[in-house]
Amino acid sequence: MAAPTKIKRIGVLTGGGDAPGLNAVIRAVVKVAIREYGLSVIGFLNGFGGLIKNQARELTEKDVVGILPRGGTILGTTNRDNPFHYPVVKGGKKVFVDVSDRIFENISIHGVDALIVIGGDGSLAIAKELYAKGLAVVGVPKTIDNDLLATDQTFGFDTALTTATEALDKLHTTAESHHRVMVLEVMGRYAGWIALAAGVAGGADVILIPEIPYRIEKVIDMINQREVQGKKFSIIVVAEGAKPVDGELVVQKRVEDSFDPIRLGGIGHVVAQQVEEATGKETRVTILGHLQRGGSPTAFDRILATRYGTGAVRLVVEGRFGHMVCLRGTSIDAVPLTEATGQIRAVPLESDLLLSARQLGICLGD
Amino acid sequence: MAAPTKIKRIGVLTGGGDAPGLNAVIRAVVKVAIREYGLSVIGFLNGFGGLIKNQARELTEKDVVGILPRGGTILGTTNRDNPFHYPVVKGGKKVFVDVSDRIFENISIHGVDALIVIGGDGSLAIAKELYAKGLAVVGVPKTIDNDLLATDQTFGFDTALTTATEALDKLHTTAESHHRVMVLEVMGRYAGWIALAAGVAGGADVILIPEIPYRIEKVIDMINQREVQGKKFSIIVVAEGAKPVDGELVVQKRVEDSFDPIRLGGIGHVVAQQVEEATGKETRVTILGHLQRGGSPTAFDRILATRYGTGAVRLVVEGRFGHMVCLRGTSIDAVPLTEATGQIRAVPLESDLLLSARQLGICLGD
Amino acid sequence: MAAPTKIKRIGVLTGGGDAPGLNAVIRAVVKVAIREYGLSVIGFLNGFGGLIKNQARELTEKDVVGILPRGGTILGTTNRDNPFHYPVVKGGKKVFVDVSDRIFENISIHGVDALIVIGGDGSLAIAKELYAKGLAVVGVPKTIDNDLLATDQTFGFDTALTTATEALDKLHTTAESHHRVMVLEVMGRYAGWIALAAGVAGGADVILIPEIPYRIEKVIDMINQREVQGKKFSIIVVAEGAKPVDGELVVQKRVEDSFDPIRLGGIGHVVAQQVEEATGKETRVTILGHLQRGGSPTAFDRILATRYGTGAVRLVVEGRFGHMVCLRGTSIDAVPLTEATGQIRAVPLESDLLLSARQLGICLGD
Amino acid sequence: MAAPTKIKRIGVLTGGGDAPGLNAVIRAVVKVAIREYGLSVIGFLNGFGGLIKNQARELTEKDVVGILPRGGTILGTTNRDNPFHYPVVKGGKKVFVDVSDRIFENISIHGVDALIVIGGDGSLAIAKELYAKGLAVVGVPKTIDNDLLATDQTFGFDTALTTATEALDKLHTTAESHHRVMVLEVMGRYAGWIALAAGVAGGADVILIPEIPYRIEKVIDMINQREVQGKKFSIIVVAEGAKPVDGELVVQKRVEDSFDPIRLGGIGHVVAQQVEEATGKETRVTILGHLQRGGSPTAFDRILATRYGTGAVRLVVEGRFGHMVCLRGTSIDAVPLTEATGQIRAVPLESDLLLSARQLGICLGD
């Protein structure tokens, strides 16, 4: 099948945090665009920054050989460089301006007919604005946090979940041998998907997520109760965004460590200290940090990413701009960017995953 | 919440082929039944055989400690022992009889109020018949082949897929270094889910599945075409149930090796021989065999299995017998066993996974 | 072969920090003692604590089924409970006394003829003292740090090394995509084996170990130099015991966090802060912590542990007490405990592993 | 340090079967030669074939970025193309001639002062002959079979061992659940290192290796004996080169399948059939085949390969030609090629690894 006469050349970029599967999307976009539709593809480097600064590279089939199993992105990515709020230095001080026109210039310089933006809520929101301004754009949802609206799952999540679950498997053996409490801090600043799913998959005793402010007494009760039952160790999974009912402590902590909870270990260490003081049990903390963003994507993520990439090219040739590919049950579908951004998808309190966790006897801190 | 007064004790069994996640279901059933609903649980051993021969063991929370990450099933399983078609020796020769009454006897001997059957199409069909005969039964869908009707996915599939994909990653490096053709034979006698998904995830060049009878010339063309493009190696994934358009060869082969294609390597070796003769390229075969049934379940399968086990107990306490838990999008749902069995779910020829494979340029043999 | 008449019963315990392979040693001891020499085996629980408090369990072949691939120890372990320096409360205050006589009592109560101590430097030093006091003891060297004298390698090290290397593989992809500096803090308070070996295996750019006090300027030079070469990311591996040439900073830090560098992230965060301030590059820290002690042992560790366990039983039946099994090249040998303890094996500054690291251009901070 | 004036340029090639770690050696050779000694490096493609046909590529530091964790070899490799026995077509028929002069021509064409040959017994034997003919050559020992003389271990073996051990872990769970006998056929045509080591690491019940011709009755006794003890499953590891005391059956089989035991599954299927017939237990076969040559090298193999590559460059600059790097205990050493080739290193019948296997009660078929 040939593409609509007007589409001859596609641009693609990866924005926001790194996620396993980005290369699989790029590979699918390039292969399908070239083989199936006879289009050419250009990649913009380091997210929207490359579109603004006109940093780009032609992408041929040769460029995507062997990248399917690799983590990271051959195009580079960044959390910064919002074209509608771009930092420039004026009169010696930093101000933020709208440089989105540069994007339209560079798009036309490269003769790009449509742009595929692979990114999370931030990048897709920018894509939405660019579409509103007249750019032919299609989105691909990406985040290891799995907190995007309008899709059943994002690629990268399954790999991050797998990394966290393998960590719990390892901590189990040593916690058991040493009669210790092990705290694993995982990503999830606003949604607890990784913590909840990994906690269930890894047999955690306590799972603390942002959606459910916790009472430390509940956590301590759980550990003491297990002690009484002869279970002399416990495993606690904490999402980096988890907070106590009285959130002061953490808010203050965030300030101290310049808003980067990863830097000083953040909430994981707070919980560990409180538990150790209250129970007298040796408590140890592991912070997975960026391990969760790295590594070869799981089979699930490679397939989802490949289907997303293929589906995005289809949206382009069908001229369905301003849409994002998404997963609905077992099918790939499309949804308007306006419905997909601006809000995160928290763990629903009535979800059966959460219910299953409760019924298994896992403490959720409430 | 308390269970309906009539439900005090649950029986559980695992039937059919082994699948990673069986222990995770058993664990969830036991924990939720005891902790949440105050029920007791008894496990019948080795599938329906234990129900017929009255082989059983009480299951307490202690019995399920540490089994979440383990492959296999602590209850044992078997493909045989259909109570409605049970082999007995009469007058020196084997005849098949209906011994399902024994099951009702043993169920009442143990004071079991409801039975949870974890199994594939065969076991669930038996469960359906037992329900029709008056047994309070609930089903949990299991098969690594992912070919069950009425559920988006079965547990065990993601783990088998992961094993097959890791194998493809390994074969890629050595195929590339040696300029060889590598054939990987995977499970899937009637449906090609593992072959198709692993082939897409592992970057295969050719994928042969039962749903699409193949022409070996197409496969050979693909390999020669790659040679011309300077790609001196190729990766072929073959489902054990794949067959050529002219199926004689294989049918005959099946007879020879007593219907066990695994035993002599089956179709994988047939394809390898034809390819080597036609292309003159060294061709090697790897048969994963039962590796695909073993090992620690992936995080995905542990979670799905846990949700299924929890959901099955809920169906029991709600008295929704004759139903099977299933996955619908992101939710656990229930479906009548009558709608769930008697037919396998093949890969739909119009599925977007298949379409994506084609658009990526993967040869499907047709 | 029968054991010397005087040996009828063996005791075994695991002491010190957890290490993958402990169960493999226990399994080998039990199987070989019972099958090959017709002995019986009793396990003392939680290191020397079980010997002092007379906590023990009989060990049969049945007890060791399935434990070969499992991390941890079925006997439990602890870093405390030194019989020669045992804390008791006298007159309201804690004092340390010699309770080693209790060990001899419990040994005779259980009719144990010889004791196998599986442990690190601390546990083996206690074993040495007990031998000097007349106990028939044999040692098995264990530590993930690989810093024991008198053996080419300890079991547990290869697994910890593998965990750290897999972490570096994951950090590489995300560091590269984000143009970041990634700091991985690994175990090794007194010796840098894990950091050095993982750094070489994982392609690190900087490796900081206790044996080589570092100058942060050297580290910063390396990162800037890579930047100039167009390599916009760097990977730094830091052993928890690494220290700057001017060690004040860290010593002080240790005090603050009650001598537990894991608790506040320790040196890894110190290095990250200095690097970020000096280079302006985003720097992220991952602390593996106890992940390095957990998980299924690698094939290498399972084999070494099994050979150690088998060799230890041989030493017992040969009556070679006061010795420890050790690895010499490809053979299992024995060495007097007096030569094996009281000093740790640091990375030799002239070792060819260190030389290889230097010649590869890895910065060692000096 | 500068290289001897006469050495300015190094050639490198990889010969024989693929082995994980080849890229790690190439990377170390390139980095150390260029950074440390200011040399240039050229790679010859596809083993000695590239030296004969003058197929080569310059190797810079850029060419080896990111290859450390990758299986395979960026230079390609082959088992064929022996320059002293090279097939050419004369008068319509194939004859073998000595084309080694072409190698000297191409070496001088490229201004190569010394050649590093990374290979197994075959390639190193050719290297030895070339050295005898006057070529400045240094060897690096490689084989997944670990059967080379004069070195404690070859790189690639630990990765193959790990792959085989993981396979056994998976087969264990499913064998146990199904009460089956599982046969795993691994590589090792002349030496049983992989089978023996993986069998010990994976808890096999029977291990059959080429060094010990087996009696099938011994194997069957073992399985029946386990049945009596209530162990209803067994795991058998078979090296592809294992043979019964009466070897006829297999010899004949080899002829049938054109000397490629992998092609029809070979000895693994022979053993499985005999066991199934004799015991009546369902028996399944898995053939790892080339999975054992692929995949990312383990940390151990990456380090050994890196030390070998670094050591080989040192031998070159020291002018110690006709030597091969080797591992001795914990050090890298050198040995004359004359002592390293022409014979394989079988498993010594008195090795303590074999003794340990026997004392653990593993059946070795004798």
Side-chain angles (χ1 to χ4, degrees):
Chain A
M1 163 199 176
T5 48
K6 68 178 200 313
I7 303 290
K8 296 235 172 326
R9 184 162 175 73
I10 296 181
V12 59
L13 67 82
T14 53
D18 190 20
L22 284 168
N23 280 328
V25 180
I26 296 168
R27 171 178 175 270
V29 166
V30 169
K31 289 183 86 128
V32 173
I34 295 173
R35 283 168 171 269
E36 182 74 9
Y37 299 108
L39 312 176
S40 67
V41 184
I42 185 168
F44 293 97
L45 307 181
N46 306 321
F48 285 100
L51 251 176
I52 296 167
K53 302 170 204 141
N54 193 17
Q55 300 166 335
R57 57 180 276 202
E58 194 69 20
L59 291 174
T60 68
E61 282 199 67
K62 213 158 180 311
D63 296 306
V64 298
V65 167
I67 71 173
L68 173 60
R70 294 206 204 133
T73 160
I74 59 171
L75 294 178
T77 184
T78 175
N79 299 327
R80 293 183 303 272
D81 299 338
N82 178 342
F84 297 99
H85 189 72
Y86 194 72
V88 293
V89 177
K90 277 218 174 101
K93 49 200 271 291
K94 190 201 257 183
V95 295
F96 291 92
V97 298
D98 178 341
V99 298
S100 54
D101 290 346
R102 289 197 215 159
I103 286 180
F104 285 80
E105 286 161 29
N106 292 325
I107 285 285
S108 68
I109 284 171
H110 291 287
V112 170
D113 304 308
L115 178 69
I116 294 176
V117 173
I118 311 165
D121 191 59
S123 304
L124 294 174
I126 294 169
K128 181 180 60 179
E129 290 186 68
L130 289 171
Y131 173 67
K133 249 189 107 167
L135 193 67
V137 61
V138 160
V140 176
K142 168 239 71 171
T143 157
I144 64 167
D145 294 332
N146 202 35
D147 60 0
L148 273 187
L149 286 178
T151 184
D152 284 0
Q153 191 156 335
T154 52
F155 69 84
F157 172 67
D158 189 64
T159 305
L161 164 62
T162 297
T163 296
T165 301
E166 286 171 356
L168 286 171
D169 285 352
K170 292 189 177 193
L171 292 178
H172 251 295
T173 59
T174 191
E176 197 168 356
S177 305
H178 274 106
H179 303 170
R180 272 179 179 150
V181 176
M182 291 287 174
V183 175
L184 180 70
E185 182 178 301
V186 299
M187 285 187 170
R189 204 166 286 195
Y190 309 110
W193 292 107
I194 293 177
L196 178 59
V200 169
D205 306 299
V206 177
I207 301 174
L208 304 180
I209 60 178
E211 293 84 346
I212 304 175
Y214 68 87
R215 296 184 187 286
I216 195 69
E217 312 75 50
K218 298 283 186 179
V219 177
I220 291 159
D221 289 351
M222 179 65 169
I223 292 161
N224 291 332
Q225 183 188 319
R226 283 174 56 81
E227 188 82 23
V228 171
Q229 297 165 0
K231 297 170 186 163
K232 300 187 173 306
F233 69 96
S234 295
I235 306 283
I236 302 174
V237 182
V238 187
E240 64 181 308
K243 44 189 163 344
V245 172
D246 155 7
E248 283 326 301
L249 170 62
V250 182
V251 174
Q252 184 202 329
K253 187 144 193 8
R254 289 281 163 89
V255 178
E256 270 170 23
D257 57 30
S258 59
F259 298 92
D260 182 355
I262 296 289
R263 289 295 296 284
L264 281 191
I267 192 66
H269 284 107
V270 174
V271 170
Q273 253 149 347
Q274 292 175 304
V275 167
E276 183 156 318
E277 279 152 24
T279 65
K281 294 186 75 67
E282 274 186 66
T283 305
R284 292 287 178 268
V285 182
T286 290
I287 303 162
L288 288 183
H290 283 65
L291 286 189
Q292 297 163 91
R293 294 195 176 284
S296 182
T298 58
F300 181 100
D301 277 338
R302 294 186 201 182
I303 292 165
L304 182 58
T306 298
R307 293 168 76 192
Y308 276 165
T310 310
V313 176
R314 279 188 228 125
L315 289 186
V316 166
V317 296
E318 293 164 7
R320 299 180 61 191
F321 303 116
H323 281 66
M324 169 186 100
V325 289
C326 63
L327 180 70
R328 292 245 186 272
T330 59
S331 315
I332 296 300
D333 200 347
V335 58
L337 284 166
T338 49
E339 295 173 22
T341 58
Q343 207 185 323
I344 71 128
R345 185 171 66 103
V347 176
L349 296 186
E350 68 290 350
S351 68
D352 78 63
L353 179 55
L354 204 50
L355 175 61
S356 294
R358 285 189 193 283
Q359 294 194 318
L360 285 164
I362 296 171
C363 167
L364 293 160
D366 60 351
Chain B
M1 164 199 176
T5 49
K6 70 180 198 310
I7 303 290
K8 296 238 174 324
R9 185 163 174 73
I10 296 181
V12 59
L13 67 82
T14 52
D18 189 20
L22 285 168
N23 280 328
V25 181
I26 296 168
R27 171 179 176 270
V29 166
V30 169
K31 289 183 86 127
V32 173
I34 294 174
R35 285 167 170 268
E36 182 75 8
Y37 299 108
L39 312 175
S40 67
V41 183
I42 185 168
F44 293 97
L45 308 182
N46 306 323
F48 285 101
L51 250 176
I52 295 168
K53 303 171 203 141
N54 193 17
Q55 300 165 334
R57 57 181 277 202
E58 193 69 21
L59 292 174
T60 67
E61 282 198 68
K62 216 160 177 313
D63 297 304
V64 297
V65 168
I67 70 172
L68 173 60
R70 294 206 203 132
T73 160
I74 59 171
L75 294 177
T77 185
T78 173
N79 299 327
R80 292 184 303 274
D81 300 339
N82 178 341
F84 297 100
H85 189 71
Y86 194 72
V88 294
V89 178
K90 276 217 174 101
K93 50 200 269 290
K94 191 202 258 181
V95 293
F96 291 90
V97 298
D98 178 340
V99 298
S100 54
D101 291 347
R102 290 198 214 159
I103 285 180
F104 285 80
E105 288 162 27
N106 293 325
I107 285 284
S108 69
I109 285 170
H110 291 287
V112 170
D113 302 308
L115 179 69
I116 294 175
V117 173
I118 311 165
D121 191 60
S123 305
L124 294 175
I126 293 170
K128 181 180 60 181
E129 290 187 67
L130 290 171
Y131 173 66
K133 248 188 107 165
L135 192 68
V137 61
V138 160
V140 175
K142 168 239 71 170
T143 157
I144 64 167
D145 294 331
N146 202 36
D147 60 0
L148 273 187
L149 287 178
T151 184
D152 284 0
Q153 190 156 334
T154 52
F155 69 84
F157 172 67
D158 189 64
T159 305
L161 165 61
T162 298
T163 297
T165 302
E166 287 170 354
L168 286 171
D169 285 351
K170 292 188 177 194
L171 292 178
H172 251 294
T173 59
T174 189
E176 196 167 356
S177 304
H178 274 106
H179 303 170
R180 273 179 177 149
V181 176
M182 292 286 175
V183 175
L184 180 70
E185 182 178 301
V186 299
M187 286 186 168
R189 204 167 287 193
Y190 310 111
W193 292 106
I194 293 176
L196 178 58
V200 170
D205 306 298
V206 178
I207 301 174
L208 305 179
I209 61 177
E211 293 84 347
I212 305 175
Y214 68 87
R215 296 183 188 286
I216 195 69
E217 312 74 49
K218 298 283 186 179
V219 177
I220 292 160
D221 290 349
M222 179 66 168
I223 292 161
N224 291 332
Q225 183 189 319
R226 283 175 56 81
E227 188 83 23
V228 171
Q229 297 165 0
K231 297 170 185 162
K232 300 186 172 307
F233 69 97
S234 295
I235 305 283
I236 301 174
V237 182
V238 187
E240 64 181 309
K243 44 190 164 344
V245 172
D246 153 6
E248 284 325 303
L249 169 62
V250 182
V251 175
Q252 183 202 329
K253 188 141 193 8
R254 288 281 163 88
V255 179
E256 271 171 23
D257 56 30
S258 59
F259 299 92
D260 182 354
I262 297 288
R263 288 296 297 283
L264 282 190
I267 191 64
H269 284 107
V270 174
V271 170
Q273 256 151 345
Q274 292 175 304
V275 166
E276 182 156 318
E277 280 153 23
T279 65
K281 294 187 74 69
E282 275 187 64
T283 305
R284 292 287 178 268
V285 182
T286 290
I287 303 161
L288 288 182
H290 282 63
L291 286 190
Q292 296 162 93
R293 294 196 176 284
S296 182
T298 57
F300 181 101
D301 277 338
R302 295 186 200 181
I303 292 166
L304 182 58
T306 297
R307 293 168 75 191
Y308 276 165
T310 310
V313 176
R314 278 188 229 126
L315 288 184
V316 166
V317 297
E318 292 164 8
R320 300 179 62 189
F321 303 116
H323 281 65
M324 170 185 99
V325 288
C326 62
L327 180 70
R328 292 249 186 268
T330 60
S331 315
I332 296 299
D333 200 347
V335 58
L337 284 166
T338 49
E339 296 173 22
T341 58
Q343 205 185 325
I344 70 127
R345 183 172 66 105
V347 176
L349 297 187
E350 69 291 348
S351 67
D352 78 63
L353 179 55
L354 204 50
L355 174 60
S356 294
R358 286 188 193 284
Q359 294 194 317
L360 284 164
I362 295 171
C363 168
L364 292 160
D366 59 350
Chain C
M1 164 201 175
T5 48
K6 69 179 198 312
I7 303 290
K8 295 234 173 330
R9 184 162 175 74
I10 296 181
V12 59
L13 68 81
T14 53
D18 190 20
L22 285 167
N23 280 328
V25 180
I26 295 167
R27 172 179 175 269
V29 166
V30 169
K31 288 183 87 131
V32 173
I34 294 174
R35 284 167 171 268
E36 181 75 8
Y37 300 107
L39 313 175
S40 67
V41 184
I42 185 169
F44 293 97
L45 307 182
N46 306 323
F48 285 101
L51 250 176
I52 295 167
K53 301 170 205 144
N54 193 16
Q55 301 165 334
R57 57 181 277 203
E58 193 69 20
L59 291 174
T60 68
E61 282 198 69
K62 215 159 179 312
D63 297 305
V64 297
V65 168
I67 70 172
L68 173 61
R70 295 209 202 128
T73 160
I74 59 171
L75 295 178
T77 184
T78 174
N79 300 326
R80 294 183 302 273
D81 299 339
N82 178 343
F84 297 100
H85 189 71
Y86 195 72
V88 294
V89 178
K90 278 218 174 103
K93 48 200 272 291
K94 189 201 259 181
V95 293
F96 290 91
V97 299
D98 178 341
V99 298
S100 55
D101 291 347
R102 291 198 214 157
I103 286 180
F104 285 80
E105 287 162 27
N106 292 324
I107 285 285
S108 69
I109 285 171
H110 291 288
V112 169
D113 304 307
L115 179 69
I116 294 176
V117 173
I118 311 165
D121 191 59
S123 304
L124 294 174
I126 294 169
K128 182 180 60 181
E129 290 187 68
L130 289 171
Y131 173 67
K133 248 188 105 166
L135 192 67
V137 61
V138 160
V140 176
K142 168 239 70 167
T143 157
I144 64 167
D145 295 332
N146 202 35
D147 61 359
L148 273 186
L149 285 179
T151 184
D152 283 1
Q153 191 156 334
T154 52
F155 69 85
F157 172 67
D158 189 65
T159 305
L161 164 61
T162 298
T163 297
T165 302
E166 287 170 356
L168 286 171
D169 285 351
K170 293 189 176 194
L171 292 179
H172 251 294
T173 59
T174 189
E176 196 167 355
S177 304
H178 274 107
H179 303 169
R180 274 181 177 146
V181 176
M182 291 286 174
V183 175
L184 180 70
E185 182 178 301
V186 299
M187 285 187 169
R189 204 166 287 194
Y190 310 111
W193 292 107
I194 293 177
L196 177 59
V200 169
D205 306 300
V206 178
I207 301 174
L208 305 180
I209 61 177
E211 293 85 345
I212 305 176
Y214 69 87
R215 296 182 187 287
I216 196 68
E217 312 74 48
K218 298 284 186 177
V219 177
I220 292 159
D221 289 350
M222 180 65 168
I223 292 161
N224 291 332
Q225 182 189 320
R226 283 174 56 82
E227 188 81 22
V228 171
Q229 297 164 0
K231 297 170 185 161
K232 300 186 172 307
F233 69 96
S234 296
I235 305 283
I236 302 174
V237 181
V238 187
E240 64 180 308
K243 45 189 163 344
V245 171
D246 154 6
E248 284 325 303
L249 170 61
V250 182
V251 174
Q252 183 202 330
K253 188 144 193 9
R254 290 282 162 89
V255 178
E256 271 171 22
D257 56 29
S258 59
F259 299 93
D260 183 354
I262 297 287
R263 287 297 295 284
L264 282 190
I267 191 65
H269 285 107
V270 174
V271 170
Q273 255 150 344
Q274 292 174 304
V275 167
E276 183 156 318
E277 279 152 25
T279 66
K281 294 187 75 68
E282 275 187 64
T283 305
R284 292 287 178 266
V285 182
T286 290
I287 302 162
L288 289 183
H290 282 63
L291 286 189
Q292 296 162 92
R293 294 195 175 284
S296 182
T298 58
F300 181 100
D301 277 338
R302 295 186 200 181
I303 292 166
L304 182 58
T306 297
R307 293 168 75 191
Y308 276 164
T310 310
V313 176
R314 278 188 229 126
L315 288 185
V316 166
V317 297
E318 292 165 9
R320 299 179 61 189
F321 302 116
H323 281 67
M324 169 186 99
V325 289
C326 62
L327 180 70
R328 293 247 185 270
T330 60
S331 316
I332 296 300
D333 200 347
V335 58
L337 284 166
T338 48
E339 295 173 23
T341 58
Q343 206 184 325
I344 70 126
R345 184 173 65 104
V347 176
L349 296 187
E350 69 291 348
S351 69
D352 78 64
L353 179 55
L354 203 50
L355 174 60
S356 294
R358 286 188 191 285
Q359 294 194 318
L360 284 163
I362 296 171
C363 167
L364 293 159
D366 59 349
Chain D
M1 164 200 177
T5 49
K6 69 179 198 313
I7 304 290
K8 295 232 170 332
R9 185 161 174 74
I10 295 182
V12 59
L13 66 82
T14 53
D18 191 20
L22 285 168
N23 280 329
V25 180
I26 296 167
R27 172 178 175 270
V29 166
V30 169
K31 288 182 84 125
V32 173
I34 295 173
R35 284 168 170 268
E36 182 75 9
Y37 300 108
L39 312 175
S40 68
V41 184
I42 185 169
F44 293 97
L45 307 181
N46 306 321
F48 286 100
L51 250 176
I52 296 167
K53 301 170 205 141
N54 193 17
Q55 300 165 333
R57 57 181 276 202
E58 193 69 20
L59 291 174
T60 67
E61 282 198 67
K62 213 159 180 313
D63 297 304
V64 298
V65 168
I67 71 173
L68 173 61
R70 295 207 202 130
T73 159
I74 58 172
L75 293 178
T77 184
T78 175
N79 298 326
R80 293 183 303 272
D81 299 339
N82 177 343
F84 297 100
H85 188 71
Y86 194 73
V88 293
V89 177
K90 277 217 175 104
K93 48 200 273 289
K94 189 201 258 183
V95 293
F96 291 91
V97 299
D98 178 341
V99 298
S100 54
D101 291 346
R102 289 197 216 159
I103 286 180
F104 286 80
E105 286 160 29
N106 292 324
I107 285 286
S108 69
I109 284 170
H110 291 288
V112 169
D113 303 308
L115 178 70
I116 294 176
V117 173
I118 310 165
D121 191 59
S123 305
L124 294 175
I126 293 170
K128 181 180 60 180
E129 290 186 69
L130 290 170
Y131 173 66
K133 247 187 108 165
L135 193 67
V137 61
V138 160
V140 176
K142 169 238 70 172
T143 157
I144 64 166
D145 294 332
N146 202 35
D147 60 0
L148 273 187
L149 285 179
T151 184
D152 284 0
Q153 190 155 335
T154 52
F155 69 85
F157 172 67
D158 189 64
T159 305
L161 164 61
T162 297
T163 297
T165 302
E166 286 171 356
L168 287 171
D169 285 351
K170 293 189 176 194
L171 292 178
H172 250 294
T173 59
T174 190
E176 196 167 356
S177 305
H178 274 106
H179 303 170
R180 273 179 178 150
V181 177
M182 291 286 175
V183 176
L184 179 70
E185 182 177 302
V186 298
M187 286 188 169
R189 204 167 286 195
Y190 310 109
W193 292 107
I194 293 176
L196 177 59
V200 168
D205 306 299
V206 178
I207 302 173
L208 305 179
I209 60 177
E211 293 85 346
I212 305 175
Y214 69 88
R215 295 183 188 286
I216 196 68
E217 312 75 48
K218 298 283 186 178
V219 177
I220 292 159
D221 290 350
M222 178 65 169
I223 292 162
N224 291 332
Q225 183 188 319
R226 283 175 56 81
E227 188 82 22
V228 171
Q229 297 164 359
K231 297 172 187 161
K232 299 185 173 308
F233 70 96
S234 294
I235 305 282
I236 302 174
V237 182
V238 187
E240 64 181 308
K243 44 189 166 343
V245 171
D246 154 8
E248 283 325 303
L249 169 61
V250 181
V251 174
Q252 185 202 329
K253 185 138 196 8
R254 291 280 164 90
V255 178
E256 271 170 23
D257 57 29
S258 60
F259 299 92
D260 183 353
I262 297 289
R263 288 296 296 284
L264 282 190
I267 191 65
H269 285 107
V270 175
V271 170
Q273 254 151 346
Q274 292 175 304
V275 167
E276 184 156 316
E277 280 152 23
T279 65
K281 294 188 75 66
E282 274 186 68
T283 305
R284 292 287 178 268
V285 182
T286 291
I287 303 162
L288 288 183
H290 283 62
L291 286 190
Q292 297 163 91
R293 294 195 176 284
S296 182
T298 58
F300 182 101
D301 276 338
R302 294 186 201 182
I303 292 165
L304 182 58
T306 298
R307 293 167 76 192
Y308 276 165
T310 310
V313 176
R314 278 188 229 125
L315 289 185
V316 166
V317 296
E318 292 165 8
R320 298 180 62 190
F321 303 115
H323 281 66
M324 170 186 98
V325 289
C326 63
L327 180 70
R328 292 247 186 272
T330 60
S331 315
I332 296 300
D333 199 348
V335 58
L337 284 167
T338 49
E339 294 174 22
T341 58
Q343 208 185 323
I344 70 129
R345 185 173 66 105
V347 176
L349 296 186
E350 68 291 349
S351 68
D352 79 63
L353 179 54
L354 204 50
L355 174 60
S356 294
R358 285 188 192 284
Q359 295 194 318
L360 284 163
I362 296 171
C363 168
L364 293 159
D366 60 350

